Amino acid sequence: MPGEACEAGPSHPSLYSYFIAMGFSKNIVEKAIKKNGEGNSEAILETLLTYSATENPYLKNEDGPIESIARNYVDGLEDDSSDTDDFDDLEFIEAPPGRDRNLLTLVEMGFSAEEASAARDRCGLDASVLELADSIHAAHMAKDSHGIVLGSPIINKPNEATFYSTSRKKRILMEEKRKHRRNSHHGSRRSEYLKKAALDVDIPKPMIGFSLPFQNCIKRRNLPDSALGPPYFYYENVALAPKGVWDTISRFLYDIEPEFVDSKYFCASMRKRAYIHNLPIENRFPLLPLPKKTIQEALPSTKKWWPEWDNRTQLNCLQTCTASAKLTEKIKKALDDSGDVPSLRVQEYVLAQCKKWNLVWVGRHKAAPLEPDEIEMLLRFPKNHTRGGGIGRTERFKSLGNSFQIDTVAYHLSVLKNIFPDGINVLSLFSGIGGAEVALHSLGIRLKAVVSVEISEVNRNIIRCWWEQTNQKGTLIEVDDVQKLDGGNLEKFMRRIGGFHLVIGGSPCNNLTGSNRHSRDGLEGKDSSLFYDFFRILDLVKCIMGKKF
DNA sequence: AACAAAATGACATAGCTC
DNA sequence: GAGCTATGTCATTTTGTT
């Protein structure tokens, strides 16, 4: 495999703190380093992962934040985990000793046994764990992009992809034109210009961003001075927005190239999003343990009922709406009526509905929508994060559907851990149910102060409950509307807490997403235009930080 | 009133064919 | 390239039910 630059572990100044930062306990890291010597980070990682297979995995001692999250997470899975399936895999791997321990390590890292052994076949017996992990990712991507040659340095390809297909000058000119026309005409013809407007941002395939866990960085980037912090910022929205939207967003956010990432590389469900941020992209690390990436592993109880002809291994995007009971009844009836093996026609119908509504198999002929706690698990929120406190079931689905996938966001934010060892002050815009806060907390980054802006009262309640239950020692300031934030009250907040280290948020997507048949009005839509408030507030914060207030 | 279900039929993109 | 099909998407509005 290609040994390109910017590898995470080995070059790091302090191996010890690096592995601690990954979430391993001090004791285990000490043991592992003693055993392998400081020079061999790969062997250390392997030892760490092996230890955690037998001992309690990845948990920090004391009252570390990772502990509580991980425990909730594990608890949530315990109920339905049928031990028989996993056992087979382990036995298969444990049988041959020696080098094949690499396979066990890979499975611990979250890969399947088949993937692991296939990777070993490709890379040879002497391949290291990281090389094997790299190879598996490469294989995934090759599968995605429909048969790019295996084993070649695929990950170097997107490096060369040009972000701006036209020059900056030309783009700005076109935007001016667009604006001009928008002013002189109205609604009905707007979609026409949008169609004509060139799409300048290329959406990369596969949608893996600048890097994935246990993989070399794909690109290096030099941000323009105007983009640099303080503060750091992080903006998120749907990747497949109407044409020109990401071009506009990018231009407002200091011409930074969006990072397009599908969360299917982090968990068992898809989530195609783009993130614009000015964070460093070297030395990222993922939350551990890595989530299971297939439906059958993440929801083991479904395995038993999964029909042969349903070839799904991952779920579609988790949405705000859920399938009706009527629909699942129809599906059951259709299958009941068609005997052992349903006809191709019935299969097609059922499969289409399953894909459309993200149904999973929970019994014979019983397809069902995901339960809220399962969605919480897939997005990596603590179990029952959105439960109780006066929130209804429908609202729960809606709030979850609008949220971050924690693993994905945390991976990007992980670089903050070493930059701010004492913790950070966060301005969280469009907080929702607190995805940003949970991600930072899960990384073990202390939240010194959080100003959380969220319009929905139930969502604010959820964040406050979480804040109390995780025994946060910092300050939580709640604001109900981004439009109420101006230079005056921002400066007051910043005086009080000492400025912001991170401004983070994802503005409403409802006018951008393809699911919306009624008001997909683009960035100028009623809700999605709140993006401009994100920019406005970020710029204000930059200004005030610059003045040293 | 508060939910739940059904209807709606947009739109970008990928991968075909001709 | 134009034209077709298939697929996927942080949804909204209307209608029916406890």
Side-chain angles (χ1 to χ4, degrees):
Chain A
M1 288 303 288
E4 282 266 322
C6 82
E7 205 175 49
S11 57
H12 199 273
S14 164
L15 264 177
Y16 184 79
S17 58
Y18 175 76
F19 285 118
I20 299 282
M22 280 176 83
F24 295 102
S25 81
K26 289 175 192 165
N27 296 339
I28 294 185
V29 174
E30 250 167 36
K31 261 195 233 170
I33 291 181
K34 218 176 251 174
K35 188 178 164 191
N36 298 287
E38 284 227 291
N40 194 348
S41 62
E42 211 157 287
I44 297 171
L45 176 62
E46 191 186 338
T47 307
L48 287 170
L49 288 161
T50 314
Y51 278 173
S52 41
T54 45
E55 301 184 22
N56 219 354
Y58 311 112
L59 301 185
K60 280 209 159 188
N61 35 10
E62 295 125 12
D63 50 350
I66 291 178
E67 180 168 21
S68 57
I69 298 288
R71 216 165 250 162
N72 279 333
Y73 190 70
V74 171
D75 284 348
L77 291 176
E78 244 166 26
D79 307 345
D80 9 349
S81 69
S82 56
D83 36 18
T84 48
D85 323 325
D86 300 346
F87 193 70
D88 289 340
D89 292 349
L90 286 178
E91 222 175 29
F92 163 67
I93 292 165
E94 273 172 354
R99 282 186 184 124
D100 280 24
R101 235 153 51 85
N102 278 357
L103 294 197
L104 176 61
T105 309
L106 285 166
V107 174
E108 283 306 313
M109 285 164 76
F111 300 111
S112 77
E114 297 90 84
E115 285 174 329
S117 63
R120 193 208 32 202
D121 291 346
R122 282 197 299 274
C123 302
L125 284 169
D126 293 322
S128 69
V129 177
L130 290 181
E131 281 171 334
L132 291 170
D134 247 12
S135 167
I136 296 174
H137 277 297
H140 280 189
M141 279 177 267
K143 215 165 141 196
D144 261 22
S145 38
H146 298 276
I148 295 181
V149 195
L150 262 181
S152 64
I154 296 159
I155 41 174
N156 291 337
K157 276 275 159 60
N159 201 9
E160 292 145 29
T162 47
F163 165 45
Y164 294 122
S165 47
T166 53
S167 71
R168 182 179 157 78
K169 219 176 179 180
K170 195 171 161 194
R171 276 185 308 125
I172 289 172
L173 200 74
M174 292 188 72
E175 179 64 16
E176 291 300 321
K177 247 190 210 164
R178 212 179 298 160
K179 268 190 186 147
H180 184 256
R181 297 184 67 173
R182 199 176 288 146
N183 291 338
S184 48
H185 301 277
H186 280 292
S188 63
R189 294 186 62 188
R190 195 172 65 208
S191 57
E192 239 175 83
Y193 335 132
L194 287 176
K195 264 179 210 158
K196 281 178 188 159
L199 179 68
D200 295 333
V201 179
D202 293 329
I203 294 185
K205 269 187 312 179
M207 206 184 279
I208 55 166
F210 301 149
S211 71
L212 289 178
F214 303 112
Q215 200 183 63
N216 296 334
C217 265
I218 288 169
K219 70 177 289 150
R220 294 174 176 285
R221 62 173 189 175
N222 289 314
L223 297 174
D225 284 352
S226 61
L228 298 176
Y232 284 111
F233 74 91
Y234 190 85
Y235 175 79
E236 177 261 10
N237 215 320
V238 289
L240 290 98
K243 279 183 181 176
V245 165
W246 275 107
D247 187 41
T248 307
I249 294 176
S250 165
R251 212 181 38 260
F252 271 91
L253 297 178
Y254 317 100
D255 272 324
I256 297 176
E257 172 185 358
E259 179 168 14
F260 288 92
V261 188
D262 190 336
S263 290
K264 73 175 179 179
Y265 299 107
F266 288 82
C267 69
S269 76
M270 297 181 192
R271 206 166 186 78
K272 294 183 177 63
R273 297 291 178 271
Y275 308 86
I276 290 188
H277 59 84
N278 61 351
L279 296 163
I281 57 177
E282 295 86 19
N283 297 324
R284 292 166 162 180
F285 59 87
L287 289 178
L288 295 175
L290 294 179
K292 298 297 180 191
K293 293 190 192 61
T294 65
I295 308 169
Q296 292 79 6
E297 286 175 307
L299 303 164
S301 60
T302 63
K303 211 170 177 176
K304 185 174 167 190
W305 305 107
W306 209 272
E308 290 260 323
W309 42 268
D310 184 347
N311 53 1
R312 289 176 300 155
T313 56
Q314 291 195 299
L315 293 160
N316 281 334
C317 185
L318 303 171
Q319 307 234 80
T320 55
C321 300
T322 189
S324 64
K326 272 268 162 57
L327 179 71
T328 58
E329 192 188 350
K330 262 196 221 162
I331 289 174
K332 181 156 192 325
K333 196 163 183 323
L335 291 173
D336 282 342
D337 291 348
S338 54
D340 271 355
V341 180
S343 68
L344 219 61
R345 220 186 145 75
V346 175
Q347 283 182 25
E348 270 171 22
Y349 162 73
V350 173
L351 204 50
Q353 296 302 317
C354 285
K355 284 179 180 174
K356 183 173 174 186
W357 293 103
N358 261 336
L359 305 179
V360 292
W361 297 99
V362 296
R364 183 181 148 78
H365 296 171
K366 262 170 60 173
L370 293 166
E371 285 294 309
D373 64 319
E374 291 169 330
I375 299 178
E376 285 169 347
M377 182 267 289
L378 288 164
L379 296 173
R380 206 189 242 255
F381 280 94
K383 197 173 163 74
N384 295 326
H385 183 71
T386 57
R387 192 177 186 184
I391 187 172
R393 205 177 142 83
T394 316
E395 277 175 310
R396 241 181 127 183
F397 281 115
K398 190 173 170 194
S399 292
L400 284 164
N402 280 310
S403 176
F404 286 163
Q405 204 284 324
I406 303 284
D407 293 279
T408 314
V409 173
Y411 179 62
H412 298 157
L413 297 177
S414 63
V415 295
L416 292 171
K417 178 142 184 168
N418 283 322
I419 301 175
F420 302 108
D422 299 330
I424 57 174
N425 296 336
V426 184
L427 174 57
S428 168
L429 303 172
F430 314 102
S431 299
I433 54 176
E437 290 84 344
V438 174
L440 290 164
H441 179 66
S442 306
L443 285 163
I445 296 173
R446 198 160 74 85
L447 298 168
K448 290 202 289 190
V450 174
V451 175
S452 167
V453 188
E454 169 58 38
I455 196 136
S456 149
E457 193 186 340
V458 280
N459 284 350
R460 286 202 303 275
N461 291 340
I462 289 171
I463 295 184
R464 202 179 326 110
C465 280
W466 173 83
W467 189 267
E468 285 160 9
Q469 283 179 8
T470 50
N471 294 316
Q472 298 289 334
K473 300 286 185 287
T475 317
L476 175 66
I477 301 171
E478 294 175 62
V479 180
D480 63 351
D481 193 346
V482 285
Q483 297 186 335
K484 286 185 188 164
L485 273 185
D486 56 26
N489 45 27
L490 267 175
E491 193 162 348
K492 224 162 63 191
F493 289 142
M494 289 165 73
R495 278 234 176 77
R496 182 171 154 198
I497 62 176
F500 291 112
H501 304 108
L502 175 69
V503 178
I504 184 168
S507 61
C509 72
N510 51 355
N511 304 128
L512 306 180
T513 172
S515 329
N516 188 345
R517 291 154 161 86
H518 291 272
S519 53
R520 197 184 191 191
D521 303 332
L523 202 53
E524 313 304 322
K526 184 168 143 286
D527 301 307
S528 294
S529 58
L530 288 169
F531 157 73
Y532 295 107
D533 281 284
F534 181 93
F535 166 72
R536 177 181 65 82
I537 291 164
L538 173 61
D539 218 44
L540 273 172
V541 171
K542 274 171 102 85
C543 247
I544 300 171
M545 297 287 281
K547 281 197 304 187
K548 294 236 152 71
F549 53 99

